[in-house]
Amino acid sequence: MKVSAQNLHAFCVQALTQVGVGEPDARTAADVLVTTDTWGTFTHGTKALRAYIRRLRGGGLKKKGVPKVASEGPAWAMVDGDSSLGMVSSVFAMNLAMAKAATAGIAFAGLRNNCHYGAAGYYAAMAIEKNMIGFSMANDIPTVNAPGARGSVMGRNPFGFAAPAGNEKPILLDMATSTVAGGKVFAAAALGKTIPGQWLLDANAKPTTDPTLFSHAASLTPLGGYKGYGIAFMIEVLSAILTGAAIRRQVLSWTFSDASKPTGHGAAFIAINIASFRPVEQFKQRMDQMIREIRASEKADGADRIYLPGEMEWERREKALIEGIDLPEDVAASLRGLAEDLNLDFDRFLR
């Protein structure tokens, strides 16, 4: 199913405002979710809107929540998300980090009392227009195995990084610290497909290709084994232990838990003001140089191209903004289900 980014954005705004979210916050959330879909990262885009609205209607997310600064210094801040939409509180926190970095050179903003915030890369990418380098990370409920363990030990704990370039496209990294994001496993289950054997471990820590076992009877494998496990631990420290957010099993599932309760997620954002360290144009020229050197590297047999981090996403976005977003079946089904929940005419937005 194909829909324009503009119409999909309008649907998200209408759905959110209909359940009581103010229009500015609804537009912020829609910006994050629709941008994510234009990147082709459908597991973290508008597909999640139905679950967010379930929590808004249940009270676990506050329709009129207002993120606020709990404490701060010249180059740091701690933000209380007030159980508002994760996209709203995270945009607030990243904007705060960038504002402080503009004068301090580098700044950290921690966020507690948050919820699932969608794609980590969105918040990191906010730094690009400010000629800054951005980092974003968050914790989640344990769904990922650790080497030697049976069952889940850490969350998928996503990480985002973005840096501007000159004539080349900006660099954008958005990744889970599991081998794949859990959303890809849920998507495979919804479509009745099997998955690669390296994605999941069953209750006995043995590889399985059955996505329906996740997450009640299977755990995701950590990215690169102990390396992904270690990075996930680092993210838990920065986004939860340091910020005062819920830790590991204290975090509630944003999709399956009691919708009347806050999930307690934490997040962390870092902004680096390039101009504080060297001339911005010099930095961008050096970025372009490295990008071009990598692209010109000798290609393996059968490879047509060497992609830079984020290059696929930017190209998909350019195409989606012109031709429309081609939504996968599971995303379309979720949006149609939401429209039925709210008595909205989803087909009207396809015209």
Side-chain angles (χ1 to χ4, degrees):
M1 182 178 71
K2 187 162 282 190
V3 61
S4 72
Q6 181 179 3
N7 286 353
L8 184 58
H9 189 279
F11 172 78
C12 293
V13 171
Q14 183 167 344
L16 287 165
T17 54
Q18 183 159 316
V19 298
V21 177
E23 186 166 335
D25 286 352
R27 289 190 174 278
T28 295
D31 288 346
V32 178
L33 298 177
V34 175
T35 296
T36 303
D37 277 350
T38 64
W39 286 339
T41 311
F42 295 110
T43 53
H44 287 64
T46 58
K47 179 183 177 180
L49 184 59
R50 193 178 189 185
Y52 297 146
I53 286 181
R54 171 180 167 267
R55 299 202 78 82
L56 285 164
R57 298 176 95 177
L61 280 173
K62 292 183 181 179
K63 302 168 185 177
K64 304 294 185 182
V66 180
K68 53 185 175 292
V69 178
S71 57
E72 63 181 324
W76 64 273
M78 287 295 174
V79 176
D80 185 325
D82 195 32
S83 291
S84 57
L85 279 163
M87 292 70 67
V88 172
S89 50
S90 297
V91 166
F92 177 90
M94 186 61 190
N95 276 328
L96 183 60
M98 292 189 295
K100 289 181 176 294
T103 55
I106 182 170
F108 173 96
L111 174 61
R112 60 175 176 263
N113 203 8
N114 197 34
C115 189
H116 185 263
Y117 74 172
Y122 182 90
Y123 311 103
M126 288 171 60
I128 294 170
E129 292 185 1
K130 302 287 188 181
N131 286 323
M132 295 186 183
I133 298 168
F135 297 85
S136 160
M137 64 200 79
N139 74 333
D140 201 3
I141 61 169
T143 53
V144 184
N145 184 266
R150 182 177 295 186
S152 300
V153 173
M154 299 298 297
R156 286 161 277 184
N157 295 13
F159 175 83
F161 163 78
N167 294 320
E168 300 293 341
K169 291 181 173 63
I171 294 299
L172 173 62
L173 173 66
D174 186 328
M175 54 173 273
T177 49
S178 50
T179 301
V180 295
K184 291 188 177 181
V185 180
F186 286 131
L191 298 172
K193 297 180 178 179
T194 58
I195 58 173
Q198 67 269 28
W199 286 11
L200 274 187
L201 298 177
D202 65 18
N204 294 313
K206 303 298 183 185
T208 177
T209 60
D210 183 359
T212 65
L213 295 177
F214 183 70
S215 57
H216 67 286
S219 56
L220 295 163
T221 56
L223 177 67
Y226 70 90
K227 296 178 181 179
Y229 166 53
I231 295 171
F233 196 102
M234 176 193 72
I235 292 171
E236 194 81 18
V237 171
L238 293 174
S239 65
I241 294 177
L242 181 62
T243 65
I247 300 168
R248 296 184 67 250
R249 299 195 189 281
Q250 296 172 359
V251 181
L252 299 184
S253 169
W254 63 279
T255 49
F256 301 119
S257 69
D258 183 345
S260 69
K261 297 180 179 179
T263 62
H265 285 75
F269 308 88
I270 299 170
I272 300 174
N273 184 17
I274 295 166
S276 297
F277 296 85
R278 66 171 56 249
V280 171
E281 290 308 310
Q282 184 185 94
F283 174 89
K284 290 183 176 181
Q285 289 170 5
R286 288 165 62 84
M287 285 289 290
D288 282 355
Q289 178 184 350
M290 182 169 70
I291 289 168
R292 290 164 184 165
E293 286 177 358
I294 292 172
R295 188 180 292 131
S297 298
E298 186 175 355
K299 299 173 184 64
D301 292 344
D304 296 324
R305 182 175 175 184
I306 298 171
Y307 284 92
L308 277 296
E311 197 168 13
M312 289 184 181
E313 286 78 4
W314 295 126
E315 291 182 1
R316 289 181 193 136
R317 176 167 171 77
E318 289 173 359
K319 182 178 180 181
L321 292 177
I322 296 170
E323 301 178 6
I325 306 169
D326 194 5
L327 297 175
E329 292 178 21
D330 58 320
V331 179
S334 179
L335 292 171
R336 287 192 181 280
L338 175 59
E340 291 174 6
D341 294 344
L342 302 179
N343 295 314
L344 295 175
D345 180 8
F346 185 66
D347 289 333
R348 176 170 68 86
F349 294 90
L350 299 179
R351 301 182 190 122

